[in-house]
Amino acid sequence: QVQLVESGGGLVQPGGSLRLSCATSGRTFSSYAMGWFRQAPGKEREFVSGISWNGDNTYYADSVKGRFTISRDNAKNTVYLQMNSLKPEDTAVYYCAASGSSWSPSHQISYDYWGQGTQVTVSS
């Protein structure tokens, strides 16, 4: 069992930055691929970014490419999402997720564990 706890969300002005963190329990964090998803009000949850177990491979949705950066620290059992140049359309609840096998970065069904989410609001 893996527990995921997101943090770092909040209110930020357009053009600002936030860094989300996702801390995980368990000693097998380094064996999981990780992903970030988001869900805006009235919309379905969508893929944001994913990172392989060793950090060698990263993936991004077109809408965040060049603005967001995913990274992980396996020694700290934590995955991060650095979000720059934030836009109002980035407003959403952001979730991290862990995939133990058969990982397909943008497909939610390939993730085994999910966090509770952290709210990000981009507004002036």
Side-chain angles (χ1 to χ4, degrees):
Q1 189 75 8
V2 176
Q3 292 185 326
L4 311 176
V5 179
E6 302 96 336
S7 62
L11 173 64
V12 64
Q13 293 186 341
S17 298
L18 283 175
R19 188 176 81 154
L20 305 183
S21 299
C22 175
T24 69
S25 64
R27 293 175 289 180
T28 59
F29 173 75
S30 60
S31 66
Y32 287 90
M34 301 295 294
W36 285 97
F37 291 78
R38 67 186 181 186
Q39 187 169 19
K43 295 187 176 181
E44 294 187 351
R45 189 161 57 185
E46 65 177 5
F47 170 74
V48 175
S49 183
I51 188 167
S52 59
W53 67 272
N54 59 2
D56 283 354
N57 298 297
T58 58
Y59 304 86
Y60 297 93
D62 287 343
S63 59
V64 307
K65 204 170 292 183
R67 300 188 297 122
F68 291 10
T69 303
I70 192 170
S71 62
R72 66 189 296 160
D73 185 338
N74 286 348
K76 295 183 178 179
N77 288 359
T78 302
V79 63
Y80 304 96
L81 185 68
Q82 178 66 44
M83 305 186 296
N84 298 329
S85 302
L86 283 161
K87 304 175 181 180
E89 51 263 44
D90 295 317
T91 295
V93 177
Y94 283 70
Y95 300 89
C96 71
S99 175
S101 63
S102 301
W103 179 51
S104 179
S106 63
H107 291 89
Q108 298 183 49
I109 198 171
S110 73
Y111 291 84
D112 305 296
Y113 303 101
W114 292 82
Q116 293 300 306
T118 185
Q119 176 71 46
V120 171
T121 303
V122 184
S123 175
S124 54

